[in-house]
Amino acid sequence: MSQQRVASNRSSCRNVGFYVLIMLMELLLLGCNSESEDSALQTEKPVVSRLNQQHQIVVEFYGELIGPDSEPPNHLLVDHILVRDNKTKMVERFIPEDADTLQSSFGYFTNVWSPDSAYMVLPLGRFQGFALFSSKTVMENLQQNRFSETIQINLTTDNSTKLWHEFIGWQKPHSIYFSAGLSGRLIEFIFDPTTGEVRTQTAAGSSFRAITKSGITEVSISNNM
């Protein structure tokens, strides 16, 4: 009986040793795959980079430039966007709400920093509007998956209809200039993130409302855009 127990114990030890060996091999393979993925991310190069010189933060666009014109943004097909702090080496990914509409319509733009370097703007989606970040807190905001401010234009008479948004540029020092509308008829708007005011020159401005983090406000008509 003792010999049988010894033989049984030896067999159990061999089995345990065999399973431990298999587990070690799997862990090694996972480690190799992880290192390969990390190496691929480190060697990947952005197609376009936009540096905020004052705050030393760079927005990196990864993807490809397609078509006969090699200049962004009209031919910039974006796969993903990384925001990198050159001082702290912190890196965060920006994830829009609707990447599909941006991909299919070349909805990304690279003029992301305000003239005074105080704000960064990125698109949330063609129908979702834009996200704004303070340059001082952008890395923390991205890490916590929140925005300093957002802006979206809707019709006052119809909550269900979403408007097409298109970024145009900046108005000094840090107001974003964009358009929104339906069926090719886009109305131009100016949004100041420091005051929350949204202006338009068109007489149809009274039929639009602005949705921001602060709430919903009527769009004011101004002769000075």
Side-chain angles (χ1 to χ4, degrees), residues 10-100:
R10 288 177 178 172
S11 176
S12 298
C13 289
R14 283 196 296 268
N15 290 337
V16 171
F18 177 71
Y19 289 126
V20 169
L21 181 61
I22 290 177
M23 291 176 64
L24 287 173
M25 291 178 65
E26 290 178 348
L27 289 172
L28 286 172
L29 287 173
L30 287 173
C32 290
N33 290 336
S34 177
E35 288 179 4
S36 298
E37 292 174 0
D38 291 342
S39 299
L41 288 173
Q42 290 175 2
T43 57
E44 189 181 11
K45 300 296 183 183
V47 178
V48 180
S49 297
R50 292 292 180 260
L51 174 66
N52 183 320
Q53 190 71 42
Q54 180 177 336
H55 295 275
Q56 284 299 300
I57 299 174
V58 60
V59 181
E60 300 174 342
F61 296 85
Y62 293 82
E64 61 179 324
L65 290 170
I66 63 175
D69 186 356
S70 61
E71 289 297 319
N74 293 333
H75 296 271
L76 177 60
L77 190 62
V78 175
D79 177 64
H80 62 277
I81 296 174
L82 297 182
V83 182
R84 188 183 307 273
D85 189 328
N86 287 340
K87 294 176 293 186
T88 65
K89 307 304 178 185
M90 184 178 179
V91 180
E92 296 293 337
R93 184 185 291 245
F94 170 76
I95 302 176
E97 290 184 13
D98 187 357
D100 291 340

Coordinates of all heavy atoms in Angstrom, one line a residue, residues 10-100:
R10 N 4.0 10.5 -6.6 CA 4.9 10.9 -7.7 C 4.1 11.3 -8.9 O 4.5 12.3 -9.6 CB 5.9 9.8 -8.0 CG 6.9 9.5 -6.9 CD 7.8 8.3 -7.2 NE 8.8 8.2 -6.2 CZ 9.6 7.1 -6.1 NH1 9.5 6.1 -7.0 NH2 10.5 7.0 -5.2
S11 N 3.1 10.5 -9.2 CA 2.3 10.8 -10.4 C 1.6 12.2 -10.3 O 1.6 13.0 -11.2 CB 1.2 9.7 -10.6 OG 0.4 10.1 -11.7
S12 N 1.1 12.5 -9.0 CA 0.4 13.7 -8.8 C 1.4 14.9 -8.9 O 1.1 15.9 -9.5 CB -0.2 13.8 -7.4 OG -1.2 12.8 -7.3
C13 N 2.6 14.7 -8.4 CA 3.6 15.7 -8.5 C 4.0 16.0 -10.0 O 4.2 17.2 -10.4 CB 4.9 15.3 -7.7 SG 4.7 15.4 -5.9
R14 N 4.1 14.9 -10.8 CA 4.4 15.1 -12.2 C 3.3 15.9 -12.9 O 3.6 16.8 -13.7 CB 4.6 13.8 -12.8 CG 6.0 13.1 -12.5 CD 6.3 12.0 -13.5 NE 5.3 10.9 -13.4 CZ 5.5 9.9 -12.6 NH1 6.6 9.8 -11.9 NH2 4.6 8.9 -12.6
N15 N 2.0 15.6 -12.5 CA 0.9 16.3 -13.1 C 0.9 17.7 -12.8 O 0.7 18.6 -13.6 CB -0.4 15.6 -12.7 CG -0.6 14.2 -13.3 OD1 0.0 13.9 -14.4 ND2 -1.4 13.4 -12.7
V16 N 1.1 18.0 -11.5 CA 1.2 19.4 -11.0 C 2.3 20.2 -11.7 O 2.1 21.3 -12.2 CB 1.4 19.5 -9.5 CG1 1.6 20.9 -9.0 CG2 0.1 18.9 -8.8
G17 N 3.5 19.5 -11.8 CA 4.6 20.2 -12.5 C 4.3 20.4 -13.9 O 4.7 21.5 -14.5
F18 N 3.6 19.5 -14.6 CA 3.2 19.7 -16.0 C 2.3 20.9 -16.2 O 2.5 21.7 -17.1 CB 2.6 18.4 -16.5 CG 2.1 18.4 -17.9 CD1 3.0 18.4 -19.0 CD2 0.7 18.5 -18.2 CE1 2.6 18.5 -20.3 CE2 0.3 18.6 -19.5 CZ 1.2 18.6 -20.6
Y19 N 1.3 21.0 -15.3 CA 0.3 22.1 -15.4 C 1.0 23.4 -15.1 O 0.7 24.5 -15.7 CB -0.8 21.9 -14.5 CG -1.8 20.8 -15.0 CD1 -2.1 19.7 -14.1 CD2 -2.3 20.8 -16.2 CE1 -2.9 18.7 -14.5 CE2 -3.1 19.8 -16.7 CZ -3.4 18.7 -15.8 OH -4.3 17.7 -16.2
V20 N 1.9 23.4 -14.1 CA 2.7 24.6 -13.8 C 3.5 25.1 -15.0 O 3.6 26.3 -15.3 CB 3.6 24.4 -12.6 CG1 4.5 25.6 -12.4 CG2 2.7 24.3 -11.3
L21 N 4.1 24.1 -15.7 CA 4.9 24.4 -16.9 C 4.1 25.0 -18.0 O 4.5 26.0 -18.6 CB 5.6 23.1 -17.4 CG 6.5 23.3 -18.6 CD1 7.7 24.3 -18.3 CD2 7.1 21.9 -19.0
I22 N 2.9 24.5 -18.2 CA 2.0 25.0 -19.2 C 1.6 26.5 -18.8 O 1.6 27.4 -19.7 CB 0.7 24.2 -19.3 CG1 1.1 22.8 -20.0 CG2 -0.3 24.9 -20.2 CD1 0.0 21.9 -20.1
M23 N 1.3 26.7 -17.6 CA 0.9 28.1 -17.1 C 2.0 29.1 -17.3 O 1.8 30.2 -17.7 CB 0.5 28.1 -15.7 CG -0.8 27.3 -15.4 SD -1.2 27.2 -13.6 CE -1.4 29.0 -13.3
L24 N 3.3 28.6 -17.0 CA 4.4 29.5 -17.2 C 4.6 29.9 -18.7 O 4.9 31.0 -19.0 CB 5.7 28.8 -16.6 CG 5.8 28.8 -15.1 CD1 7.0 27.9 -14.7 CD2 5.9 30.2 -14.5
M25 N 4.4 28.9 -19.5 CA 4.6 29.1 -21.0 C 3.5 30.1 -21.5 O 3.8 31.0 -22.3 CB 4.5 27.8 -21.7 CG 5.6 26.8 -21.5 SD 5.4 25.3 -22.4 CE 5.5 25.8 -24.1
E26 N 2.3 30.0 -21.0 CA 1.2 30.9 -21.4 C 1.5 32.3 -20.9 O 1.3 33.3 -21.6 CB -0.1 30.4 -20.8 CG -0.7 29.2 -21.4 CD -2.0 28.7 -20.8 OE1 -2.3 29.3 -19.7 OE2 -2.7 27.8 -21.4
L27 N 2.0 32.4 -19.7 CA 2.4 33.8 -19.2 C 3.5 34.4 -20.0 O 3.5 35.6 -20.3 CB 2.8 33.7 -17.7 CG 1.7 33.4 -16.7 CD1 2.3 33.1 -15.3 CD2 0.7 34.5 -16.6
L28 N 4.5 33.6 -20.4 CA 5.6 34.1 -21.2 C 5.1 34.5 -22.6 O 5.5 35.6 -23.1 CB 6.6 33.0 -21.4 CG 7.5 32.7 -20.2 CD1 8.4 31.5 -20.4 CD2 8.4 33.9 -19.9
L29 N 4.1 33.8 -23.2 CA 3.6 34.2 -24.5 C 2.8 35.4 -24.3 O 2.9 36.3 -25.2 CB 2.7 33.0 -25.0 CG 3.4 31.8 -25.5 CD1 2.4 30.7 -25.8 CD2 4.2 32.1 -26.7
L30 N 2.0 35.6 -23.2 CA 1.2 36.8 -23.0 C 2.2 38.0 -22.9 O 1.9 39.1 -23.4 CB 0.3 36.7 -21.8 CG -0.9 35.8 -22.0 CD1 -1.6 35.6 -20.6 CD2 -1.9 36.4 -23.0
G31 N 3.3 37.8 -22.2 CA 4.2 38.9 -22.0 C 4.9 39.3 -23.3 O 5.1 40.5 -23.5
C32 N 5.2 38.3 -24.1 CA 5.8 38.6 -25.4 C 4.8 39.4 -26.3 O 5.2 40.3 -27.0 CB 6.2 37.3 -26.1 SG 7.6 36.5 -25.4
N33 N 3.5 39.0 -26.3 CA 2.5 39.7 -27.1 C 2.3 41.1 -26.6 O 2.2 42.1 -27.4 CB 1.1 39.0 -27.0 CG 1.1 37.7 -27.7 OD1 1.9 37.5 -28.6 ND2 0.3 36.7 -27.3
S34 N 2.3 41.3 -25.2 CA 2.2 42.6 -24.7 C 3.4 43.5 -25.0 O 3.2 44.7 -25.4 CB 2.1 42.5 -23.1 OG 2.0 43.8 -22.6
E35 N 4.6 42.9 -25.0 CA 5.8 43.7 -25.4 C 5.7 44.1 -26.9 O 6.1 45.2 -27.3 CB 7.0 42.9 -25.1 CG 7.3 42.8 -23.6 CD 8.6 41.9 -23.3 OE1 9.2 41.5 -24.3 OE2 8.9 41.7 -22.2
S36 N 5.2 43.1 -27.7 CA 5.1 43.4 -29.1 C 4.1 44.6 -29.4 O 4.4 45.4 -30.2 CB 4.6 42.2 -29.9 OG 5.5 41.1 -29.7
E37 N 2.9 44.6 -28.7 CA 2.0 45.6 -28.8 C 2.6 47.0 -28.4 O 2.4 48.0 -29.0 CB 0.7 45.3 -28.0 CG -0.1 44.1 -28.6 CD -1.2 43.7 -27.7 OE1 -1.4 44.4 -26.7 OE2 -1.9 42.8 -28.0
D38 N 3.3 46.9 -27.2 CA 3.9 48.2 -26.7 C 4.9 48.7 -27.7 O 5.0 49.9 -28.0 CB 4.6 47.9 -25.4 CG 3.6 47.7 -24.2 OD1 2.4 48.0 -24.4 OD2 4.0 47.1 -23.2
S39 N 5.7 47.8 -28.3 CA 6.7 48.2 -29.3 C 6.1 48.8 -30.5 O 6.5 49.8 -31.1 CB 7.6 47.0 -29.7 OG 8.3 46.5 -28.5
A40 N 4.9 48.2 -30.9 CA 4.2 48.7 -32.1 C 3.7 50.1 -31.8 O 3.8 51.0 -32.7 CB 3.1 47.8 -32.5
L41 N 3.1 50.4 -30.6 CA 2.6 51.7 -30.3 C 3.8 52.7 -30.2 O 3.6 53.9 -30.6 CB 1.9 51.6 -28.9 CG 0.6 50.9 -28.9 CD1 0.0 50.8 -27.5 CD2 -0.4 51.7 -29.8
Q42 N 4.9 52.3 -29.7 CA 6.1 53.2 -29.6 C 6.6 53.6 -30.9 O 7.1 54.7 -31.1 CB 7.1 52.6 -28.7 CG 6.7 52.5 -27.2 CD 7.8 51.7 -26.4 OE1 8.8 51.3 -26.9 NE2 7.5 51.5 -25.1
T43 N 6.6 52.6 -31.9 CA 7.2 52.9 -33.2 C 6.2 53.6 -34.2 O 6.6 54.1 -35.2 CB 7.7 51.6 -33.8 OG1 6.6 50.7 -33.9 CG2 8.8 51.0 -33.0
E44 N 4.9 53.5 -33.8 CA 3.9 54.2 -34.7 C 4.1 55.7 -34.7 O 4.3 56.3 -33.7 CB 2.5 53.8 -34.2 CG 1.4 54.2 -35.1 CD 0.0 53.9 -34.5 OE1 -0.1 53.5 -33.3 OE2 -1.0 54.0 -35.2
K45 N 4.0 56.3 -35.9 CA 4.2 57.7 -36.0 C 2.9 58.4 -36.4 O 2.1 57.9 -37.2 CB 5.2 57.9 -37.1 CG 6.6 57.3 -36.9 CD 7.3 57.9 -35.7 CE 8.7 57.4 -35.5 NZ 9.3 57.9 -34.2
P46 N 2.6 59.6 -35.8 CA 1.4 60.3 -36.2 C 1.5 60.9 -37.6 O 2.6 61.2 -38.0 CB 1.4 61.4 -35.1 CG 2.8 61.6 -34.7 CD 3.4 60.2 -34.8
V47 N 0.4 61.0 -38.2 CA 0.3 61.6 -39.6 C 0.5 63.1 -39.5 O 1.2 63.8 -40.3 CB -1.0 61.2 -40.3 CG1 -1.1 61.9 -41.6 CG2 -1.1 59.7 -40.4
V48 N -0.2 63.7 -38.5 CA -0.1 65.1 -38.2 C 0.0 65.4 -36.7 O -0.6 64.7 -35.9 CB -1.4 65.8 -38.7 CG1 -1.3 67.3 -38.5 CG2 -1.6 65.6 -40.2
S49 N 0.9 66.3 -36.3 CA 1.0 66.7 -34.9 C 0.8 68.2 -34.8 O 1.3 69.0 -35.7 CB 2.4 66.4 -34.4 OG 2.6 65.0 -34.4
R50 N 0.1 68.7 -33.8 CA -0.1 70.1 -33.5 C 0.3 70.4 -32.1 O -0.3 70.0 -31.1 CB -1.6 70.4 -33.7 CG -2.0 70.4 -35.2 CD -1.3 71.4 -36.0 NE -1.7 71.4 -37.4 CZ -0.9 70.8 -38.4 NH1 0.2 70.3 -38.1 NH2 -1.4 70.8 -39.6
L51 N 1.4 71.2 -31.9 CA 2.0 71.5 -30.7 C 1.5 72.8 -30.1 O 1.4 73.8 -30.8 CB 3.5 71.6 -30.8 CG 4.3 72.0 -29.6 CD1 4.1 71.0 -28.4 CD2 5.8 72.3 -29.9
N52 N 1.1 72.8 -28.8 CA 0.8 74.1 -28.1 C 2.2 74.4 -27.5 O 2.6 73.9 -26.5 CB -0.2 73.8 -27.0 CG -0.6 75.1 -26.3 OD1 0.2 75.9 -25.9 ND2 -1.9 75.2 -26.0
Q53 N 2.8 75.4 -28.0 CA 4.2 75.8 -27.6 C 4.2 76.3 -26.2 O 5.1 76.0 -25.4 CB 4.7 76.9 -28.6 CG 6.2 77.2 -28.4 CD 7.1 76.0 -28.8 OE1 6.9 75.4 -29.9 NE2 8.2 75.7 -28.1
Q54 N 3.2 77.0 -25.8 CA 3.2 77.6 -24.5 C 3.0 76.6 -23.4 O 3.7 76.7 -22.3 CB 2.0 78.6 -24.4 CG 1.9 79.3 -23.0 CD 0.7 80.3 -23.0 OE1 0.3 80.8 -24.0 NE2 0.2 80.6 -21.8
H55 N 2.2 75.6 -23.6 CA 2.0 74.6 -22.6 C 2.7 73.3 -22.8 O 2.6 72.3 -22.0 CB 0.5 74.3 -22.4 CG -0.3 75.5 -21.9 ND1 -0.5 75.8 -20.6 CD2 -1.0 76.5 -22.6 CE1 -1.2 76.9 -20.4 NE2 -1.5 77.3 -21.6
Q56 N 3.4 73.2 -24.0 CA 4.1 72.0 -24.4 C 3.2 70.7 -24.4 O 3.6 69.7 -23.9 CB 5.3 71.8 -23.4 CG 6.5 72.7 -23.7 CD 7.0 72.5 -25.1 OE1 7.5 71.4 -25.5 NE2 7.0 73.6 -25.9
I57 N 2.1 70.9 -25.0 CA 1.2 69.8 -25.2 C 0.9 69.6 -26.7 O 0.7 70.6 -27.4 CB -0.2 70.0 -24.5 CG1 0.1 70.1 -22.9 CG2 -1.2 68.9 -24.7 CD1 -1.2 70.5 -22.2
V58 N 1.0 68.4 -27.1 CA 0.9 68.1 -28.6 C -0.3 67.2 -28.8 O -0.5 66.2 -28.1 CB 2.2 67.5 -29.1 CG1 2.6 66.2 -28.5 CG2 2.1 67.3 -30.7
V59 N -1.0 67.5 -29.9 CA -2.1 66.6 -30.3 C -1.6 65.8 -31.5 O -1.2 66.4 -32.5 CB -3.4 67.4 -30.7 CG1 -4.5 66.5 -31.1 CG2 -3.8 68.3 -29.5
E60 N -1.7 64.5 -31.5 CA -1.2 63.6 -32.5 C -2.3 62.9 -33.2 O -3.2 62.2 -32.6 CB -0.2 62.6 -31.9 CG 1.0 63.3 -31.3 CD 1.9 62.3 -30.6 OE1 1.4 61.1 -30.3 OE2 3.0 62.6 -30.3
F61 N -2.4 63.0 -34.5 CA -3.4 62.4 -35.3 C -2.8 61.2 -36.0 O -1.8 61.3 -36.8 CB -4.0 63.3 -36.4 CG -4.7 64.5 -35.8 CD1 -4.0 65.7 -35.5 CD2 -6.0 64.5 -35.7 CE1 -4.6 66.8 -35.0 CE2 -6.7 65.6 -35.2 CZ -6.0 66.8 -34.8
Y62 N -3.4 60.0 -35.8 CA -2.9 58.7 -36.3 C -3.9 58.2 -37.4 O -5.1 58.3 -37.1 CB -2.7 57.7 -35.3 CG -1.6 58.0 -34.3 CD1 -1.8 58.9 -33.2 CD2 -0.3 57.5 -34.5 CE1 -0.8 59.2 -32.3 CE2 0.7 57.8 -33.6 CZ 0.5 58.6 -32.5 OH 1.5 58.9 -31.7
G63 N -3.4 57.8 -38.5 CA -4.2 57.4 -39.6 C -3.5 57.5 -40.9 O -2.3 57.1 -41.0
E64 N -4.1 58.1 -41.9 CA -3.4 58.3 -43.2 C -4.0 59.4 -44.0 O -5.2 59.8 -43.8 CB -3.6 57.0 -44.1 CG -5.0 56.6 -44.4 CD -5.1 55.3 -45.2 OE1 -4.2 55.2 -46.1 OE2 -6.0 54.5 -45.0
L65 N -3.2 60.0 -44.9 CA -3.6 61.0 -45.8 C -3.9 60.3 -47.1 O -3.1 59.6 -47.7 CB -2.6 62.1 -46.0 CG -2.3 63.0 -44.8 CD1 -1.0 63.8 -45.0 CD2 -3.5 63.9 -44.6
I66 N -5.1 60.5 -47.7 CA -5.5 59.8 -48.9 C -5.9 60.9 -49.9 O -6.2 62.0 -49.6 CB -6.7 58.9 -48.7 CG1 -7.9 59.6 -48.2 CG2 -6.3 57.8 -47.7 CD1 -9.1 58.7 -48.0
G67 N -6.0 60.4 -51.2 CA -6.4 61.3 -52.3 C -5.2 62.1 -52.9 O -4.0 62.0 -52.4
P68 N -5.4 62.8 -53.9 CA -4.3 63.5 -54.6 C -3.7 64.7 -53.8 O -2.6 65.0 -54.0 CB -5.0 64.1 -55.9 CG -6.5 64.2 -55.5 CD -6.7 63.1 -54.6
D69 N -4.5 65.3 -52.9 CA -4.0 66.4 -52.1 C -3.5 65.8 -50.8 O -4.2 65.1 -50.1 CB -5.2 67.3 -51.9 CG -4.7 68.6 -51.1 OD1 -3.5 68.6 -50.7 OD2 -5.5 69.5 -50.9
S70 N -2.3 66.0 -50.5 CA -1.6 65.4 -49.3 C -1.8 66.3 -48.1 O -1.2 66.0 -47.0 CB -0.2 65.1 -49.6 OG 0.5 66.3 -49.9
E71 N -2.5 67.4 -48.2 CA -2.6 68.3 -47.1 C -3.8 68.1 -46.3 O -4.9 67.9 -46.8 CB -2.6 69.8 -47.6 CG -1.3 70.3 -48.1 CD -0.2 70.3 -47.1 OE1 -0.5 70.7 -45.9 OE2 0.9 69.9 -47.4
P72 N -3.7 68.0 -44.9 CA -4.9 67.9 -44.1 C -5.7 69.2 -44.1 O -5.1 70.2 -44.4 CB -4.4 67.5 -42.7 CG -3.0 68.1 -42.7 CD -2.5 68.0 -44.2
P73 N -6.9 69.3 -43.7 CA -7.7 68.1 -43.1 C -8.6 67.4 -44.2 O -9.2 66.4 -43.8 CB -8.6 68.8 -42.1 CG -8.9 70.1 -42.6 CD -7.6 70.5 -43.4
N74 N -8.7 68.0 -45.4 CA -9.7 67.4 -46.3 C -9.4 66.0 -46.7 O -10.3 65.3 -47.2 CB -9.7 68.3 -47.6 CG -10.3 69.7 -47.3 OD1 -11.1 69.8 -46.4 ND2 -9.9 70.7 -48.1
H75 N -8.2 65.5 -46.5 CA -7.8 64.1 -46.9 C -7.2 63.4 -45.7 O -6.4 62.5 -45.9 CB -6.9 64.1 -48.1 CG -7.6 64.7 -49.3 ND1 -8.3 63.9 -50.2 CD2 -7.6 66.0 -49.8 CE1 -8.7 64.7 -51.2 NE2 -8.3 65.9 -51.0
L76 N -7.6 63.8 -44.5 CA -7.0 63.2 -43.3 C -8.0 62.1 -42.8 O -9.1 62.5 -42.3 CB -6.7 64.2 -42.3 CG -6.2 63.7 -40.9 CD1 -4.9 63.0 -41.1 CD2 -6.1 64.9 -39.9
L77 N -7.6 60.9 -42.9 CA -8.5 59.8 -42.4 C -7.9 59.4 -41.1 O -6.8 58.8 -41.0 CB -8.4 58.6 -43.4 CG -9.4 57.5 -43.1 CD1 -10.9 58.0 -43.2 CD2 -9.2 56.3 -44.1
V78 N -8.6 59.7 -40.0 CA -8.1 59.5 -38.6 C -8.5 58.2 -38.0 O -9.7 57.9 -38.1 CB -8.6 60.7 -37.7 CG1 -8.1 60.4 -36.3 CG2 -8.0 62.0 -38.2
D79 N -7.5 57.5 -37.5 CA -7.8 56.2 -36.8 C -8.0 56.5 -35.3 O -9.0 56.0 -34.7 CB -6.7 55.2 -37.0 CG -6.9 53.9 -36.3 OD1 -7.9 53.2 -36.6 OD2 -6.1 53.6 -35.3
H80 N -7.1 57.3 -34.7 CA -7.3 57.7 -33.4 C -6.4 58.9 -33.1 O -5.5 59.3 -33.9 CB -6.9 56.6 -32.4 CG -5.4 56.1 -32.5 ND1 -5.0 55.2 -33.4 CD2 -4.4 56.5 -31.8 CE1 -3.7 55.0 -33.3 NE2 -3.3 55.8 -32.3
I81 N -6.7 59.6 -31.9 CA -6.0 60.8 -31.6 C -5.4 60.6 -30.2 O -6.1 60.2 -29.2 CB -7.0 62.0 -31.6 CG1 -7.5 62.3 -33.0 CG2 -6.3 63.3 -31.0 CD1 -8.6 63.4 -33.0
L82 N -4.1 61.0 -30.1 CA -3.5 61.0 -28.8 C -3.1 62.4 -28.4 O -2.7 63.2 -29.3 CB -2.2 60.1 -28.8 CG -2.4 58.6 -29.0 CD1 -1.1 57.9 -29.0 CD2 -3.4 58.0 -28.0
V83 N -3.2 62.7 -27.1 CA -2.7 64.0 -26.6 C -1.6 63.8 -25.6 O -1.7 63.0 -24.7 CB -3.9 64.8 -25.9 CG1 -3.4 66.1 -25.4 CG2 -5.1 64.9 -26.8
R84 N -0.5 64.4 -25.9 CA 0.8 64.1 -25.1 C 1.3 65.4 -24.4 O 1.4 66.4 -25.1 CB 1.8 63.6 -26.1 CG 3.1 63.0 -25.5 CD 4.1 62.6 -26.6 NE 3.4 61.7 -27.5 CZ 3.4 60.3 -27.3 NH1 3.9 59.8 -26.3 NH2 2.8 59.6 -28.3
D85 N 1.6 65.2 -23.2 CA 2.2 66.3 -22.4 C 3.7 66.1 -22.4 O 4.3 65.2 -21.8 CB 1.7 66.3 -21.0 CG 2.2 67.6 -20.2 OD1 3.3 68.1 -20.5 OD2 1.4 68.0 -19.3
N86 N 4.5 67.0 -23.1 CA 5.9 66.8 -23.3 C 6.7 67.0 -22.0 O 7.8 66.5 -21.8 CB 6.4 67.8 -24.3 CG 6.1 67.4 -25.7 OD1 5.7 66.2 -26.0 ND2 6.1 68.3 -26.7
K87 N 6.0 67.7 -21.0 CA 6.7 68.0 -19.7 C 6.6 66.8 -18.8 O 7.6 66.4 -18.2 CB 6.1 69.2 -19.1 CG 6.4 70.5 -19.9 CD 5.7 71.7 -19.2 CE 4.2 71.6 -19.3 NZ 3.5 72.8 -18.8
T88 N 5.4 66.2 -18.7 CA 5.2 65.1 -17.7 C 5.3 63.7 -18.4 O 5.3 62.7 -17.7 CB 3.8 65.2 -17.1 OG1 2.8 65.1 -18.1 CG2 3.7 66.6 -16.4
K89 N 5.3 63.7 -19.8 CA 5.3 62.5 -20.6 C 4.0 61.7 -20.4 O 3.9 60.6 -20.8 CB 6.4 61.5 -20.1 CG 7.8 62.2 -20.1 CD 8.1 62.8 -21.5 CE 9.5 63.5 -21.5 NZ 9.8 64.2 -22.8
M90 N 3.0 62.4 -19.9 CA 1.6 61.8 -19.8 C 1.0 61.7 -21.2 O 1.1 62.7 -22.0 CB 0.8 62.6 -18.8 CG -0.6 62.1 -18.5 SD -1.4 63.2 -17.3 CE -3.0 62.3 -17.1
V91 N 0.3 60.6 -21.5 CA -0.4 60.4 -22.8 C -1.8 60.0 -22.6 O -2.0 59.0 -21.8 CB 0.4 59.4 -23.7 CG1 -0.3 59.3 -25.1 CG2 1.8 59.9 -23.9
E92 N -2.7 60.6 -23.2 CA -4.1 60.2 -23.1 C -4.8 60.2 -24.5 O -4.4 60.9 -25.4 CB -4.9 61.2 -22.2 CG -4.5 61.2 -20.8 CD -4.8 60.0 -20.0 OE1 -5.7 59.2 -20.5 OE2 -4.1 59.7 -19.0
R93 N -5.8 59.3 -24.7 CA -6.5 59.2 -25.9 C -7.8 60.0 -25.9 O -8.5 59.9 -24.9 CB -6.8 57.7 -26.2 CG -7.4 57.5 -27.6 CD -7.8 56.0 -27.7 NE -6.6 55.2 -27.9 CZ -6.3 54.5 -28.9 NH1 -7.1 54.5 -30.0 NH2 -5.2 53.7 -29.0
F94 N -8.1 60.7 -27.0 CA -9.3 61.4 -27.1 C -10.3 60.5 -27.9 O -10.0 60.0 -29.0 CB -9.2 62.7 -27.9 CG -10.5 63.3 -28.3 CD1 -11.3 63.9 -27.3 CD2 -11.0 63.2 -29.6 CE1 -12.5 64.5 -27.6 CE2 -12.2 63.8 -29.9 CZ -13.0 64.4 -28.9
I95 N -11.5 60.2 -27.3 CA -12.5 59.3 -27.9 C -13.7 60.1 -28.2 O -14.4 60.6 -27.3 CB -12.8 58.1 -27.0 CG1 -11.5 57.4 -26.7 CG2 -13.8 57.2 -27.7 CD1 -11.7 56.2 -25.7
P96 N -14.1 60.4 -29.5 CA -15.3 61.1 -29.8 C -16.5 60.3 -29.5 O -16.4 59.1 -29.4 CB -15.1 61.5 -31.3 CG -14.2 60.4 -31.8 CD -13.3 60.0 -30.7
E97 N -17.7 61.0 -29.5 CA -18.9 60.2 -29.3 C -19.3 59.4 -30.5 O -19.9 58.3 -30.4 CB -20.0 61.2 -28.9 CG -19.9 61.8 -27.5 CD -21.0 62.7 -27.2 OE1 -22.1 62.7 -27.9 OE2 -20.9 63.5 -26.2
D98 N -19.1 60.0 -31.7 CA -19.5 59.3 -32.9 C -18.3 59.4 -33.9 O -18.3 60.3 -34.8 CB -20.7 60.0 -33.5 CG -21.3 59.2 -34.7 OD1 -20.7 58.2 -35.1 OD2 -22.4 59.6 -35.2
A99 N -17.4 58.5 -33.8 CA -16.2 58.5 -34.7 C -16.6 58.1 -36.1 O -15.9 58.5 -37.1 CB -15.2 57.5 -34.2
D100 N -17.7 57.4 -36.3 CA -18.1 56.9 -37.7 C -18.4 58.1 -38.6 O -18.0 58.1 -39.8 CB -19.2 55.9 -37.6 CG -18.8 54.6 -37.0 OD1 -17.6 54.3 -37.0 OD2 -19.7 53.9 -36.5

